[in-house]
Amino acid sequence: MPTVTKNTSPTSPTTTLPVPPIRHPKNSSTSIASAASTTVAPPPPPTLILIAGAPCSGKKTVLAALRSKLEALSKLHNIPILTSTLHQSDFHVELTEQEIVSGGVGKVGGARDMECLKEFEMGLLGDVVEGLGREGGGVGGVRAPRWDGRRRGWGEVVVESLGRGGAEVGGKEKEGGKPVVPDVVLVEGQYLLCDQRLLESATVKIFVECDPDVRLARRVLRDSTQATTVPSPTSSSPQTPTTTKPALSLDYIFDQHIRFSKPSSEIVIQPTKVLADIILPRGAEGPGVELIANGVVDDLRDGRGRLRGEKGGERGGERGGTTLLESGAGGYYEMV
């Protein structure tokens, strides 16, 4: 049975999530007592979709395909779906220059495993996910780290409206300058199913299956053929790639794979497959991604009524179809 950790080890590094300043009511005539007496029901939490799997298994490809399918459905039904995307790789622990040198980072035979579970702040990732549901994203909303391979920066979590061609919302003047709570939060990363907090919060848990030889070939092609352009941790927008990550030697790639990546995939990541609701044996290929997208939209429209401009659960007195929350993802996607 896989071991699920809560990331509560006293030796694990922790980071305090930046909290936006408290904003007082603009109407000074309203008393604090009267404001406190008014109870506002919190919005339902976003649909949280975890996409896990071994390194280079195609998690980002599945995420992009799922986002594309959701966008197509939002246009088909003429309803905007607000989404935010998070990557586990951005939650890597901060490294000092001394740690980079002493750990042999980037050198063959280096003693530091940059891809093991303890190198990622899973607790911080959980804080950001909860913050998105509580405070929202965009300007003034929850902030998240960005990792360029060695250094960390911070920025607002972008909220996109798929029904508007992926336009960014939240904090814009036309939105009243307020953060926006997304309808769907997509998170990809290799250790997502190892964290109990994320498992309990997730609506859909996906595991992307891929042959180890294919994953190694992808890693070689990705890291050795050309330099990789990644978002700068100090850039104001995560869509602005400004930092160039140099190509790695074959010796370094194979060294890291044999000593670190392969053992962690077999011992830590692969056993968590049993915790997934859905297993995609062919990644983004096949009908799996489309079925997931349809199930998510059914859940949003019928099960919870989160989508803007719709009356959840009222469609001529009938349910529009089987939803994830009704039947469970496993039963709904037995054909995947």
Coordinates of all heavy atoms in Angstrom, one line a residue, residues 33-132:
A33 N -19.9 46.9 14.1 CA -20.8 45.9 14.7 C -21.8 45.5 13.7 O -22.1 44.3 13.6 CB -21.4 46.6 15.9
S34 N -22.4 46.4 12.9 CA -23.4 46.0 12.0 C -22.8 45.2 10.8 O -23.5 44.3 10.3 CB -24.1 47.3 11.4 OG -23.2 48.1 10.7
A35 N -21.6 45.5 10.4 CA -21.0 44.7 9.4 C -20.7 43.3 9.8 O -20.8 42.4 9.1 CB -19.7 45.4 8.9
A36 N -20.3 43.2 11.1 CA -20.0 41.8 11.6 C -21.3 41.0 11.8 O -21.2 39.8 11.7 CB -19.3 42.0 13.0
S37 N -22.4 41.7 12.0 CA -23.6 41.0 12.3 C -24.2 40.4 11.0 O -25.1 39.5 11.0 CB -24.7 41.9 12.9 OG -25.0 43.0 12.0
T38 N -23.8 40.9 9.8 CA -24.3 40.4 8.6 C -23.5 39.2 8.2 O -22.3 39.2 7.9 CB -24.1 41.5 7.5 OG1 -24.8 42.6 7.9 CG2 -24.7 41.0 6.2
T39 N -24.1 38.1 8.1 CA -23.5 36.8 7.7 C -23.6 36.5 6.2 O -24.7 36.5 5.7 CB -24.1 35.6 8.5 OG1 -24.0 35.9 9.9 CG2 -23.3 34.3 8.1
V40 N -22.5 36.4 5.5 CA -22.4 36.1 4.1 C -22.0 34.7 3.9 O -20.9 34.3 4.4 CB -21.5 37.1 3.3 CG1 -21.5 36.8 1.9 CG2 -22.0 38.6 3.6
A41 N -22.8 33.9 3.2 CA -22.4 32.5 3.0 C -21.2 32.5 2.1 O -21.2 33.1 1.0 CB -23.6 31.8 2.4
P42 N -20.1 31.7 2.5 CA -19.0 31.7 1.6 C -19.3 30.9 0.3 O -20.2 30.0 0.3 CB -18.0 30.9 2.5 CG -18.8 30.1 3.4 CD -20.0 30.9 3.7
P43 N -18.6 31.3 -0.8 CA -18.9 30.6 -2.0 C -18.4 29.1 -1.9 O -17.5 28.8 -1.2 CB -18.0 31.3 -3.1 CG -16.9 32.0 -2.2 CD -17.5 32.3 -0.9
P44 N -19.0 28.2 -2.7 CA -18.5 26.8 -2.7 C -17.1 26.8 -3.2 O -16.7 27.6 -4.0 CB -19.5 26.1 -3.6 CG -20.0 27.2 -4.5 CD -20.1 28.4 -3.6
P45 N -16.3 25.8 -2.7 CA -14.9 25.8 -3.1 C -14.8 25.4 -4.6 O -15.7 24.8 -5.2 CB -14.3 24.6 -2.2 CG -15.5 23.8 -1.9 CD -16.7 24.8 -1.8
P46 N -13.7 25.8 -5.2 CA -13.5 25.5 -6.6 C -13.4 24.0 -6.8 O -13.0 23.2 -5.9 CB -12.2 26.2 -7.0 CG -12.0 27.2 -5.9 CD -12.6 26.7 -4.7
T47 N -13.7 23.5 -8.0 CA -13.4 22.1 -8.4 C -11.9 21.9 -8.5 O -11.3 22.6 -9.4 CB -14.1 21.8 -9.7 OG1 -15.5 21.9 -9.5 CG2 -13.7 20.4 -10.2
L48 N -11.3 21.1 -7.7 CA -9.9 20.9 -7.6 C -9.5 19.6 -8.4 O -10.0 18.6 -8.0 CB -9.4 20.9 -6.2 CG -7.9 20.5 -6.0 CD1 -7.0 21.6 -6.7 CD2 -7.6 20.4 -4.5
I49 N -8.7 19.8 -9.4 CA -8.3 18.6 -10.2 C -6.8 18.4 -10.1 O -6.0 19.3 -10.4 CB -8.7 18.8 -11.7 CG1 -10.2 19.1 -11.9 CG2 -8.3 17.6 -12.6 CD1 -10.6 19.3 -13.3
L50 N -6.4 17.3 -9.6 CA -5.0 16.9 -9.4 C -4.6 16.0 -10.5 O -5.2 15.0 -10.8 CB -4.8 16.2 -8.1 CG -5.2 16.9 -6.8 CD1 -4.9 16.1 -5.6 CD2 -4.6 18.3 -6.7
I51 N -3.5 16.4 -11.2 CA -2.9 15.6 -12.3 C -1.5 15.1 -11.9 O -0.6 15.9 -11.8 CB -2.8 16.4 -13.6 CG1 -4.2 16.9 -13.9 CG2 -2.3 15.5 -14.7 CD1 -4.2 17.9 -15.1
A52 N -1.4 13.8 -11.5 CA -0.2 13.3 -10.9 C 0.4 12.3 -11.9 O -0.2 11.9 -12.9 CB -0.4 12.7 -9.6
G53 N 1.7 11.9 -11.6 CA 2.4 10.9 -12.4 C 3.8 11.1 -12.3 O 4.3 12.1 -11.8
A54 N 4.6 10.1 -12.8 CA 6.0 10.2 -12.7 C 6.6 11.3 -13.6 O 5.9 11.8 -14.5 CB 6.6 8.8 -13.2
P55 N 7.8 11.7 -13.4 CA 8.4 12.8 -14.2 C 8.4 12.4 -15.7 O 8.6 11.3 -16.1 CB 9.9 12.9 -13.7 CG 9.8 12.3 -12.3 CD 8.8 11.3 -12.3
C56 N 8.0 13.4 -16.6 CA 8.0 13.3 -18.0 C 6.9 12.3 -18.5 O 7.0 11.7 -19.5 CB 9.3 12.9 -18.6 SG 10.6 14.1 -18.3
S57 N 5.9 12.0 -17.7 CA 4.8 11.1 -18.1 C 3.8 11.8 -18.9 O 2.9 11.1 -19.5 CB 4.1 10.5 -16.8 OG 3.6 11.6 -16.0
G58 N 3.8 13.1 -19.0 CA 2.8 13.9 -19.9 C 1.8 14.6 -19.1 O 0.7 14.9 -19.6
K59 N 2.1 15.0 -17.8 CA 1.2 15.7 -17.0 C 0.8 17.0 -17.5 O -0.4 17.4 -17.6 CB 1.7 15.8 -15.6 CG 2.0 14.5 -14.9 CD 2.6 14.7 -13.5 CE 3.9 15.4 -13.5 NZ 5.0 14.5 -14.1
K60 N 1.7 17.8 -18.0 CA 1.4 19.1 -18.5 C 0.7 19.0 -19.8 O -0.2 19.9 -20.1 CB 2.7 19.9 -18.8 CG 3.4 20.4 -17.5 CD 4.6 21.2 -17.8 CE 5.3 21.8 -16.5 NZ 5.9 20.7 -15.7
T61 N 0.9 18.0 -20.6 CA 0.2 17.8 -21.8 C -1.3 17.5 -21.5 O -2.2 18.0 -22.2 CB 0.8 16.6 -22.7 OG1 2.1 16.9 -22.9 CG2 0.0 16.4 -24.0
V62 N -1.5 16.6 -20.5 CA -2.9 16.3 -20.1 C -3.6 17.6 -19.6 O -4.7 17.9 -19.9 CB -2.9 15.2 -19.0 CG1 -4.3 15.1 -18.4 CG2 -2.5 13.9 -19.6
L63 N -2.9 18.4 -18.8 CA -3.4 19.6 -18.3 C -3.8 20.6 -19.4 O -4.9 21.1 -19.4 CB -2.4 20.3 -17.4 CG -2.9 21.6 -16.6 CD1 -2.1 21.7 -15.3 CD2 -2.7 22.9 -17.4
A64 N -2.9 20.7 -20.4 CA -3.3 21.6 -21.5 C -4.5 21.1 -22.3 O -5.3 21.8 -22.8 CB -2.0 21.7 -22.4
A65 N -4.5 19.7 -22.5 CA -5.6 19.2 -23.3 C -6.9 19.3 -22.5 O -8.0 19.6 -23.1 CB -5.4 17.7 -23.5
L66 N -6.9 19.1 -21.2 CA -8.1 19.3 -20.4 C -8.6 20.7 -20.4 O -9.8 21.0 -20.5 CB -7.8 18.8 -18.9 CG -9.0 18.9 -17.9 CD1 -10.2 18.1 -18.4 CD2 -8.5 18.4 -16.6
R67 N -7.7 21.7 -20.3 CA -8.0 23.1 -20.3 C -8.6 23.4 -21.7 O -9.6 24.2 -21.8 CB -6.8 23.9 -20.1 CG -7.0 25.4 -20.1 CD -5.7 26.2 -20.0 NE -6.0 27.6 -20.1 CZ -6.2 28.3 -21.2 NH1 -6.3 27.6 -22.4 NH2 -6.4 29.6 -21.2
S68 N -8.1 22.8 -22.8 CA -8.6 23.1 -24.1 C -10.0 22.5 -24.2 O -10.9 23.2 -24.8 CB -7.7 22.4 -25.2 OG -8.2 22.6 -26.5
K69 N -10.3 21.3 -23.7 CA -11.6 20.7 -23.7 C -12.6 21.6 -22.9 O -13.8 21.8 -23.3 CB -11.6 19.3 -23.2 CG -10.8 18.3 -24.1 CD -11.4 18.1 -25.5 CE -10.7 17.1 -26.3 NZ -11.3 17.0 -27.6
L70 N -12.2 22.1 -21.8 CA -13.1 22.9 -21.0 C -13.4 24.2 -21.7 O -14.5 24.7 -21.6 CB -12.4 23.2 -19.6 CG -12.3 22.1 -18.6 CD1 -11.5 22.5 -17.4 CD2 -13.7 21.6 -18.2
E71 N -12.4 24.7 -22.4 CA -12.7 25.9 -23.2 C -13.7 25.7 -24.3 O -14.6 26.5 -24.5 CB -11.4 26.5 -23.7 CG -11.5 27.8 -24.5 CD -10.2 28.4 -24.9 OE1 -9.2 27.7 -24.8 OE2 -10.2 29.5 -25.3
A72 N -13.6 24.5 -24.9 CA -14.5 24.2 -26.0 C -15.9 24.0 -25.5 O -16.9 24.5 -26.1 CB -14.1 22.9 -26.7
L73 N -16.1 23.4 -24.3 CA -17.4 23.2 -23.7 C -18.0 24.6 -23.2 O -19.2 24.8 -23.3 CB -17.3 22.3 -22.5 CG -17.0 20.8 -22.9 CD1 -16.7 20.0 -21.7 CD2 -18.2 20.2 -23.7
S74 N -17.1 25.4 -22.7 CA -17.6 26.7 -22.3 C -18.2 27.5 -23.4 O -19.2 28.2 -23.3 CB -16.5 27.5 -21.6 OG -15.5 28.0 -22.5
K75 N -17.6 27.4 -24.6 CA -18.1 28.1 -25.8 C -19.3 27.4 -26.3 O -20.3 28.1 -26.7 CB -17.0 28.1 -26.9 CG -15.8 29.0 -26.5 CD -14.8 28.9 -27.7 CE -13.5 29.8 -27.3 NZ -12.5 29.7 -28.4
L76 N -19.4 26.1 -26.2 CA -20.5 25.3 -26.7 C -21.8 25.7 -25.9 O -22.9 25.9 -26.4 CB -20.3 23.8 -26.6 CG -21.4 22.9 -26.9 CD1 -21.8 23.0 -28.4 CD2 -21.1 21.5 -26.6
H77 N -21.6 25.8 -24.6 CA -22.8 26.1 -23.7 C -22.9 27.6 -23.4 O -23.8 28.0 -22.7 CB -22.6 25.4 -22.3 CG -22.6 23.9 -22.5 ND1 -23.7 23.2 -22.8 CD2 -21.6 23.0 -22.3 CE1 -23.4 21.9 -22.8 NE2 -22.2 21.7 -22.5
N78 N -22.0 28.4 -24.0 CA -22.0 29.9 -23.8 C -22.0 30.3 -22.4 O -22.7 31.1 -21.9 CB -23.3 30.5 -24.5 CG -23.2 32.0 -24.7 OD1 -22.1 32.5 -24.8 ND2 -24.3 32.6 -24.7
I79 N -21.1 29.7 -21.6 CA -20.9 30.0 -20.2 C -19.4 30.1 -19.9 O -18.6 29.3 -20.3 CB -21.5 28.9 -19.3 CG1 -21.1 27.5 -19.8 CG2 -23.0 29.1 -19.2 CD1 -21.6 26.4 -18.9
P80 N -19.0 31.2 -19.2 CA -17.5 31.3 -18.9 C -17.2 30.3 -17.8 O -17.9 30.1 -16.8 CB -17.4 32.7 -18.4 CG -18.8 33.1 -17.9 CD -19.7 32.3 -18.7
I81 N -16.0 29.7 -17.9 CA -15.5 28.9 -16.8 C -14.1 29.5 -16.4 O -13.2 29.6 -17.1 CB -15.2 27.4 -17.3 CG1 -16.5 26.8 -17.8 CG2 -14.6 26.6 -16.2 CD1 -16.4 25.4 -18.3
L82 N -14.1 30.0 -15.1 CA -12.9 30.6 -14.6 C -11.9 29.5 -14.1 O -12.3 28.7 -13.2 CB -13.3 31.6 -13.5 CG -14.3 32.7 -13.8 CD1 -14.5 33.6 -12.7 CD2 -13.9 33.4 -15.1
T83 N -10.7 29.6 -14.5 CA -9.7 28.5 -14.2 C -8.4 29.2 -13.7 O -8.1 30.3 -14.1 CB -9.4 27.6 -15.3 OG1 -8.8 28.4 -16.4 CG2 -10.7 27.0 -15.9
S84 N -7.8 28.4 -12.8 CA -6.4 28.8 -12.4 C -5.6 27.5 -12.5 O -6.1 26.4 -12.3 CB -6.4 29.3 -11.0 OG -7.0 30.6 -10.9
T85 N -4.3 27.7 -12.8 CA -3.4 26.6 -13.0 C -2.2 26.7 -12.0 O -1.6 27.8 -11.9 CB -2.9 26.5 -14.4 OG1 -4.0 26.3 -15.3 CG2 -1.9 25.3 -14.6
L86 N -1.8 25.6 -11.4 CA -0.7 25.6 -10.5 C 0.2 24.4 -10.9 O -0.3 23.4 -11.3 CB -1.1 25.4 -9.0 CG -2.0 26.6 -8.4 CD1 -2.5 26.2 -7.0 CD2 -1.2 27.9 -8.4
H87 N 1.5 24.6 -10.7 CA 2.5 23.6 -11.0 C 3.3 23.3 -9.7 O 3.8 24.2 -9.1 CB 3.5 24.0 -12.1 CG 2.8 24.4 -13.4 ND1 2.4 23.4 -14.3 CD2 2.4 25.6 -13.9 CE1 1.8 24.0 -15.3 NE2 1.8 25.3 -15.1
Q88 N 3.4 22.0 -9.4 CA 4.2 21.6 -8.2 C 5.6 22.1 -8.3 O 6.2 22.5 -7.3 CB 4.1 20.1 -8.0 CG 4.9 19.6 -6.8 CD 5.2 18.1 -6.9 OE1 4.4 17.3 -6.8 NE2 6.5 17.8 -7.1
S89 N 6.2 22.1 -9.5 CA 7.6 22.5 -9.6 C 7.9 23.9 -9.1 O 9.0 24.2 -8.8 CB 8.0 22.4 -11.1 OG 7.2 23.2 -11.9
D90 N 6.9 24.8 -9.1 CA 7.1 26.2 -8.6 C 7.2 26.2 -7.1 O 7.6 27.2 -6.6 CB 5.9 27.0 -9.1 CG 5.9 27.4 -10.5 OD1 7.0 27.5 -11.1 OD2 4.9 27.6 -11.1
F91 N 6.9 25.1 -6.4 CA 6.9 25.1 -5.0 C 8.2 24.4 -4.5 O 8.2 23.8 -3.4 CB 5.6 24.4 -4.4 CG 4.4 25.2 -4.7 CD1 3.8 25.2 -5.9 CD2 3.9 26.0 -3.7 CE1 2.6 25.9 -6.2 CE2 2.7 26.8 -4.0 CZ 2.1 26.7 -5.2
H92 N 9.2 24.4 -5.3 CA 10.5 23.9 -4.8 C 11.1 24.8 -3.7 O 10.9 26.0 -3.7 CB 11.5 23.9 -6.0 CG 12.6 22.9 -5.8 ND1 13.7 23.2 -5.0 CD2 12.9 21.7 -6.4 CE1 14.6 22.2 -5.0 NE2 14.1 21.3 -5.9
V93 N 11.7 24.1 -2.8 CA 12.3 24.9 -1.7 C 13.4 25.9 -2.2 O 14.0 25.6 -3.2 CB 13.0 23.9 -0.6 CG1 11.9 23.0 0.0 CG2 14.1 23.2 -1.2
E94 N 13.5 26.9 -1.5 CA 14.5 27.9 -1.9 C 15.9 27.4 -1.6 O 16.1 26.7 -0.5 CB 14.3 29.2 -1.1 CG 13.0 30.0 -1.5 CD 12.9 31.3 -0.9 OE1 13.4 32.3 -1.5 OE2 12.4 31.4 0.2
L95 N 16.8 27.7 -2.4 CA 18.2 27.3 -2.3 C 19.1 28.5 -2.1 O 19.0 29.5 -2.8 CB 18.7 26.5 -3.5 CG 17.9 25.2 -3.8 CD1 18.5 24.5 -5.1 CD2 18.0 24.2 -2.6
T96 N 20.1 28.4 -1.2 CA 21.1 29.4 -1.1 C 22.2 29.1 -2.1 O 22.3 27.9 -2.6 CB 21.7 29.5 0.3 OG1 22.3 28.2 0.6 CG2 20.5 29.7 1.3
E97 N 23.1 30.0 -2.4 CA 24.2 29.8 -3.3 C 25.1 28.7 -2.7 O 25.6 27.9 -3.4 CB 25.0 31.1 -3.5 CG 24.2 32.1 -4.3 CD 23.9 31.7 -5.7 OE1 24.6 30.9 -6.3 OE2 22.9 32.2 -6.2
Q98 N 25.2 28.7 -1.4 CA 26.0 27.7 -0.7 C 25.5 26.3 -0.9 O 26.2 25.3 -1.1 CB 26.2 28.0 0.8 CG 27.0 27.0 1.6 CD 28.5 26.9 1.0 OE1 29.0 27.9 0.6 NE2 29.1 25.7 1.1
E99 N 24.1 26.2 -0.8 CA 23.5 24.9 -1.0 C 23.6 24.4 -2.4 O 23.8 23.2 -2.7 CB 22.0 25.0 -0.6 CG 21.7 25.1 0.9 CD 20.3 25.3 1.2 OE1 19.6 26.0 0.4 OE2 19.8 24.7 2.2
I100 N 23.6 25.3 -3.4 CA 23.7 24.9 -4.8 C 25.1 24.4 -5.0 O 25.3 23.3 -5.7 CB 23.5 26.1 -5.7 CG1 22.0 26.5 -5.6 CG2 23.9 25.8 -7.1 CD1 21.7 27.8 -6.4
V101 N 26.1 25.0 -4.4 CA 27.5 24.6 -4.6 C 27.8 23.3 -3.8 O 28.3 22.3 -4.4 CB 28.5 25.7 -4.2 CG1 29.9 25.2 -4.2 CG2 28.3 26.9 -5.0
S102 N 27.4 23.3 -2.6 CA 27.7 22.1 -1.7 C 26.9 20.9 -2.1 O 27.4 19.7 -2.0 CB 27.4 22.4 -0.2 OG 26.0 22.7 -0.1
G103 N 25.8 21.1 -2.7 CA 24.9 19.9 -3.1 C 25.3 19.4 -4.5 O 24.8 18.4 -5.0
G104 N 26.2 20.1 -5.2 CA 26.6 19.7 -6.5 C 25.5 19.8 -7.5 O 25.4 19.0 -8.5
V105 N 24.6 20.8 -7.4 CA 23.5 21.0 -8.3 C 24.0 21.3 -9.7 O 24.8 22.2 -9.9 CB 22.5 22.1 -7.8 CG1 21.4 22.3 -8.7 CG2 22.0 21.8 -6.4
G106 N 23.5 20.5 -10.6 CA 23.9 20.7 -12.0 C 25.1 19.9 -12.4 O 25.6 20.0 -13.6
K107 N 25.7 19.2 -11.5 CA 27.0 18.5 -11.8 C 26.8 17.0 -11.6 O 26.0 16.5 -10.8 CB 28.1 18.9 -10.8 CG 28.4 20.4 -10.9 CD 29.5 20.8 -9.9 CE 29.9 22.3 -10.0 NZ 30.9 22.6 -9.1
V108 N 27.4 16.2 -12.5 CA 27.4 14.7 -12.4 C 27.9 14.3 -11.1 O 29.0 14.7 -10.6 CB 28.2 14.1 -13.6 CG1 28.2 12.6 -13.5 CG2 27.6 14.5 -14.9
G109 N 27.2 13.4 -10.4 CA 27.6 12.9 -9.1 C 27.2 13.8 -8.0 O 27.6 13.5 -6.8
G110 N 26.4 14.9 -8.3 CA 26.0 15.8 -7.2 C 25.2 15.0 -6.2 O 24.4 14.1 -6.5
A111 N 25.3 15.4 -4.9 CA 24.7 14.6 -3.8 C 23.3 15.1 -3.6 O 22.5 14.4 -2.8 CB 25.5 14.8 -2.5
R112 N 22.8 16.2 -4.1 CA 21.5 16.7 -3.8 C 20.5 16.2 -4.9 O 20.7 16.4 -6.1 CB 21.5 18.2 -3.7 CG 20.1 18.8 -3.3 CD 20.2 20.2 -2.9 NE 19.0 20.7 -2.3 CZ 18.9 21.4 -1.2 NH1 20.0 21.8 -0.6 NH2 17.7 21.8 -0.7
D113 N 19.4 15.6 -4.4 CA 18.4 15.1 -5.2 C 17.3 16.2 -5.3 O 16.6 16.5 -4.4 CB 17.7 13.8 -4.7 CG 16.6 13.3 -5.5 OD1 16.3 13.9 -6.6 OD2 15.9 12.3 -5.1
M114 N 17.3 16.9 -6.5 CA 16.4 18.1 -6.6 C 15.0 17.7 -6.9 O 14.1 18.5 -7.0 CB 16.9 18.9 -7.8 CG 18.3 19.6 -7.5 SD 18.2 20.9 -6.4 CE 17.4 22.2 -7.4
E115 N 14.7 16.4 -7.1 CA 13.3 15.9 -7.4 C 12.7 15.1 -6.4 O 11.6 14.6 -6.6 CB 13.4 15.2 -8.7 CG 13.9 16.0 -9.9 CD 13.8 15.2 -11.2 OE1 13.2 14.1 -11.2 OE2 14.4 15.6 -12.2
C116 N 13.3 14.9 -5.2 CA 12.6 14.1 -4.2 C 11.5 14.9 -3.5 O 11.4 16.1 -3.6 CB 13.7 13.6 -3.1 SG 14.4 14.9 -2.2
L117 N 10.7 14.2 -2.7 CA 9.5 14.8 -2.1 C 9.8 15.9 -1.2 O 9.2 17.0 -1.1 CB 8.7 13.7 -1.4 CG 7.4 14.1 -0.7 CD1 6.5 14.8 -1.6 CD2 6.8 12.9 0.0
K118 N 10.9 15.8 -0.4 CA 11.2 16.8 0.6 C 11.7 18.1 0.0 O 11.8 19.1 0.7 CB 12.3 16.2 1.6 CG 13.7 16.0 1.0 CD 14.6 15.5 2.0 CE 16.0 15.4 1.4 NZ 17.0 14.9 2.4
E119 N 12.0 18.1 -1.3 CA 12.5 19.3 -2.0 C 11.3 20.2 -2.4 O 11.5 21.3 -2.9 CB 13.3 18.9 -3.2 CG 14.6 18.3 -3.0 CD 15.6 19.3 -2.4 OE1 15.4 20.5 -2.6 OE2 16.6 18.9 -1.7
F120 N 10.1 19.8 -2.1 CA 8.9 20.5 -2.5 C 8.1 20.9 -1.3 O 7.8 20.0 -0.4 CB 8.0 19.8 -3.5 CG 8.7 19.5 -4.8 CD1 9.4 18.3 -5.0 CD2 8.8 20.4 -5.8 CE1 10.1 18.0 -6.1 CE2 9.4 20.1 -7.0 CZ 10.1 18.9 -7.2
E121 N 7.6 22.1 -1.2 CA 6.8 22.6 0.0 C 5.3 22.3 -0.3 O 4.6 23.1 -0.8 CB 7.0 24.1 0.2 CG 8.5 24.4 0.6 CD 8.6 25.8 1.1 OE1 7.8 26.2 2.0 OE2 9.5 26.5 0.6
M122 N 4.9 21.1 0.0 CA 3.6 20.6 -0.3 C 2.6 21.4 0.6 O 1.4 21.6 0.2 CB 3.4 19.1 -0.1 CG 4.4 18.3 -1.0 SD 4.3 18.6 -2.7 CE 2.6 18.0 -3.1
G123 N 3.0 21.7 1.8 CA 2.1 22.5 2.7 C 1.8 23.9 2.1 O 0.7 24.4 2.2
L124 N 2.8 24.5 1.5 CA 2.6 25.8 0.9 C 1.7 25.7 -0.3 O 0.8 26.5 -0.5 CB 4.0 26.4 0.4 CG 3.9 27.7 -0.3 CD1 3.3 28.8 0.5 CD2 5.3 28.1 -0.7
L125 N 1.8 24.6 -1.1 CA 0.9 24.3 -2.2 C -0.5 24.2 -1.7 O -1.5 24.8 -2.3 CB 1.3 23.1 -2.9 CG 0.4 22.6 -4.1 CD1 0.2 23.7 -5.1 CD2 1.0 21.4 -4.7
G126 N -0.7 23.5 -0.6 CA -2.1 23.4 0.0 C -2.6 24.7 0.5 O -3.8 25.0 0.3
D127 N -1.7 25.6 1.0 CA -2.2 26.9 1.4 C -2.6 27.7 0.3 O -3.6 28.5 0.4 CB -1.0 27.6 2.1 CG -0.7 27.0 3.5 OD1 -1.5 26.3 4.1 OD2 0.5 27.3 4.0
V128 N -1.9 27.7 -0.9 CA -2.3 28.4 -2.1 C -3.6 27.9 -2.6 O -4.5 28.7 -3.0 CB -1.2 28.3 -3.1 CG1 -1.7 29.0 -4.4 CG2 0.1 29.1 -2.6
V129 N -3.8 26.6 -2.6 CA -5.1 26.0 -3.1 C -6.2 26.5 -2.3 O -7.3 26.9 -2.8 CB -5.0 24.5 -3.2 CG1 -6.4 23.9 -3.4 CG2 -4.0 24.0 -4.2
E130 N -6.1 26.4 -0.9 CA -7.1 26.9 0.0 C -7.4 28.4 -0.2 O -8.5 28.9 -0.1 CB -6.8 26.5 1.4 CG -6.9 25.0 1.7 CD -6.6 24.7 3.2 OE1 -6.4 25.7 3.9 OE2 -6.7 23.6 3.6
G131 N -6.3 29.1 -0.4 CA -6.4 30.6 -0.5 C -7.2 31.0 -1.7 O -7.9 32.0 -1.7
L132 N -7.0 30.2 -2.8 CA -7.8 30.5 -4.0 C -9.3 30.4 -3.8 O -10.1 31.2 -4.3 CB -7.4 29.6 -5.2 CG -6.1 29.9 -5.9 CD1 -5.7 28.8 -6.9 CD2 -6.3 31.2 -6.7

